Amino acid sequence: KTSNSSADSNEWELVILDSIQVDYLTEVREGIFSNGIGLIKTSSNNGLMKFDSLGNILVNKEFPKEGPESVLFLETLIEHKGEYFGTTSFSDIYHFDANLNIKDRLKMPFMGEARGGAYNRRNIAIWNEKILLWYPGRNGISPYIDYFYRDYPLLELYDLKTKTSKPAVRPPQSSQYSSDAFFNRPDINFIVEKDSLYLTFSNEPLIHVYAMGDSILWKRSIDMKPSDFKLIPGQNTPVTYQERIKMREASIEGIFSDQDHVIVNYQGGIDGDTFVNNELKERENFPRYPEFLKNYLKIYRHGQGWSNELIIPSKIKIILNIESADKPFYALRNDDFIGEEQDFLTFYKLQLVRK
């Protein structure tokens, strides 16, 4: 039981409580864990697997690539009332029931223009029977053009009742993406808590807060104040591939919330000298990234501000979700970093603890 002093504290530590093993081997790139149930996308066989907090496999489903039961290009997953929605880059939002049967395919009104991107992003949220999602391509506009983020709405708001979608959310004036400077192309992460949207661009250490409503209105931006966040500065010409492979930019990897907190997971990046001297652009050196790349959590408490920076150990690979600052959460173990080959998946059970 926490004393009053620690209950009010904004100093936290990350504790590994336990680990669970799931008797299945796949490369996990997308996953969530909520209400005691985990769901991962199994990359090897175009499927989904659901498991519980003891590691028991509840459903393991493989989908055909053709026909009425097919699932193609499934990306980000979200749980809602015990069922699941999954985004794609091209056309459908999949709606799965609790047993991972396809309940519905929600057709977007235009073909999507995103082509892949980072894994395990937070880029779908549900609010008032509407789905807010990253799905660029309205009017055929590609997100890869110069000034896409400055000149076009960032998200779509899909209405589950009317099966229609409308464009939503522009970057605020506080964001570098409302300026004329060129930056590296970001990934977008966001989460909706009650009637507030918290949105981040991966290479900008700000959380942009919007009020959800008939229109989604910017309210303020919160500076994350990271100690380690290496960036390619804004410039007068587009950032080239050659410039991108000379360092590893800092990156916001995920954003989570409860009614009292917003929690951000970010990597600090790798500076140019370290990156070049260790030939980190070469694929065979990718496993060395954890030697140089620090991974952090930081917790914003409403009315109190930011916590200390918590370093996430390199043996943790992907955080599946953080439902609340007070609840345990699960993260995939990085077997490559540990140097163990296994024929099962290991997930750490973690807890944020006030000091």
Side-chain angles (χ1 to χ4, degrees):
K1 204 169 179 179
T2 55
S3 66
N4 285 342
S5 60
S6 67
D8 295 335
S9 166
N10 215 14
E11 289 281 310
W12 297 73
E13 59 186 331
L14 181 61
V15 177
I16 297 177
L17 300 176
D18 201 355
S19 65
I20 61 170
Q21 292 177 354
V22 176
D23 192 14
Y24 190 81
L25 193 62
T26 185
E27 186 177 359
V28 180
R29 292 175 174 173
E30 303 281 348
I32 51 168
F33 199 103
S34 55
N35 297 320
I37 301 292
L39 181 72
I40 56 170
K41 192 172 85 175
T42 56
S43 56
S44 48
N45 65 358
N46 198 45
L48 290 170
M49 187 181 68
K50 191 171 153 180
F51 59 97
D52 66 16
S53 58
L54 299 175
N56 300 311
I57 295 174
L58 305 175
V59 184
N60 192 1
K61 190 111 180 175
E62 193 173 329
F63 296 99
K65 292 194 164 79
E66 293 175 6
E69 294 299 307
S70 64
V71 171
L72 291 173
F73 309 114
L74 184 64
E75 291 180 1
T76 316
L77 303 162
I78 190 170
E79 180 265 340
H80 180 62
K81 297 179 179 173
E83 300 185 333
Y84 298 92
F85 291 92
T87 66
T88 70
S89 286
F90 298 106
S91 61
D92 295 342
I93 304 170
Y94 290 102
H95 181 186
F96 302 96
D97 68 15
N99 294 315
L100 306 182
N101 300 305
I102 298 173
K103 192 170 176 177
D104 202 359
R105 277 187 179 81
L106 309 174
K107 288 274 181 211
M108 292 298 283
F110 54 89
M111 287 293 286
E113 290 288 337
R115 297 294 174 261
Y119 295 114
N120 214 48
R121 288 295 179 244
R122 306 280 137 190
N123 57 18
I124 176 173
I126 296 177
W127 172 81
N128 277 13
E129 294 304 303
K130 297 180 177 70
I131 299 177
L132 187 66
L133 74 157
W134 163 251
Y135 184 84
R138 181 171 283 275
N139 301 322
I141 303 293
S142 163
Y144 306 111
I145 62 171
D146 294 339
Y147 294 134
F148 170 81
Y149 296 89
R150 185 191 70 180
D151 293 345
Y152 296 96
L154 302 171
L155 305 177
E156 290 286 325
L157 189 63
Y158 182 95
D159 190 314
L160 287 164
K161 291 183 183 138
T162 63
K163 304 277 178 89
T164 58
S165 188
K166 64 179 187 181
V169 185
R170 304 293 286 258
Q173 289 300 306
S174 57
S175 171
Q176 65 192 25
Y177 289 101
S178 66
S179 76
D180 294 339
F182 290 98
F183 298 89
N184 207 354
R185 192 182 310 117
D187 293 307
I188 290 177
N189 282 292
F190 58 84
I191 194 149
V192 173
E193 183 68 40
K194 293 214 166 126
D195 292 326
S196 292
L197 165 68
Y198 300 95
L199 179 138
T200 62
F201 298 97
S202 55
N203 53 353
E204 178 177 63
L206 297 172
I207 299 174
H208 303 296
V209 187
Y210 296 78
M212 298 293 290
D214 288 337
S215 52
I216 300 174
L217 300 174
W218 177 76
K219 291 295 183 192
R220 65 193 175 113
S221 296
I222 305 168
D223 188 340
M224 286 165 47
K225 300 175 183 168
S227 68
D228 174 21
F229 207 83
K230 302 172 184 77
L231 293 173
I232 298 171
Q235 52 191 48
N236 296 325
T237 52
V239 178
T240 65
Y241 173 73
Q242 289 309 119
E243 289 168 316
R244 283 203 299 271
I245 60 170
K246 285 179 179 165
M247 67 174 288
R248 168 72 176 247
E249 254 199 327
S251 171
I252 294 173
E253 297 287 301
I255 184 165
F256 314 95
S257 68
D258 61 30
Q259 59 184 12
D260 297 318
H261 306 89
V262 181
I263 303 167
V264 190
N265 169 211
Y266 56 96
Q267 295 179 345
I270 304 172
D271 68 83
D273 287 348
T274 304
F275 200 83
V276 172
N277 293 343
N278 292 280
E279 299 183 347
L280 294 178
K281 78 173 181 15
E282 305 301 336
R283 180 170 289 277
E284 66 265 22
N285 290 326
F286 287 0
R288 294 190 63 200
Y289 274 40
E291 291 176 42
F292 309 103
L293 189 64
K294 287 198 168 69
N295 199 4
Y296 303 93
L297 282 175
K298 208 170 181 188
I299 303 156
Y300 185 85
R301 185 175 173 87
H302 299 303
Q304 200 172 18
W306 285 106
S307 71
N308 53 314
E309 271 177 326
L310 288 71
I311 290 187
I312 300 171
S314 298
K315 63 183 180 180
I316 291 172
K317 189 171 184 180
I318 296 174
I319 294 173
L320 294 187
N321 192 13
I322 301 177
E323 295 171 274
S324 158
D326 302 319
K327 277 181 79 169
F329 61 97
Y330 292 83
L332 179 69
R333 188 174 81 171
N334 190 340
D335 288 345
D336 289 342
F337 176 78
I338 292 173
E340 289 183 14
E341 274 200 40
Q342 303 289 4
D343 54 2
F344 51 82
L345 297 169
T346 300
F347 295 91
Y348 290 117
K349 182 181 182 180
L350 303 156
Q351 175 87 55
L352 293 165
V353 179
R354 285 187 180 87
K355 289 184 179 177

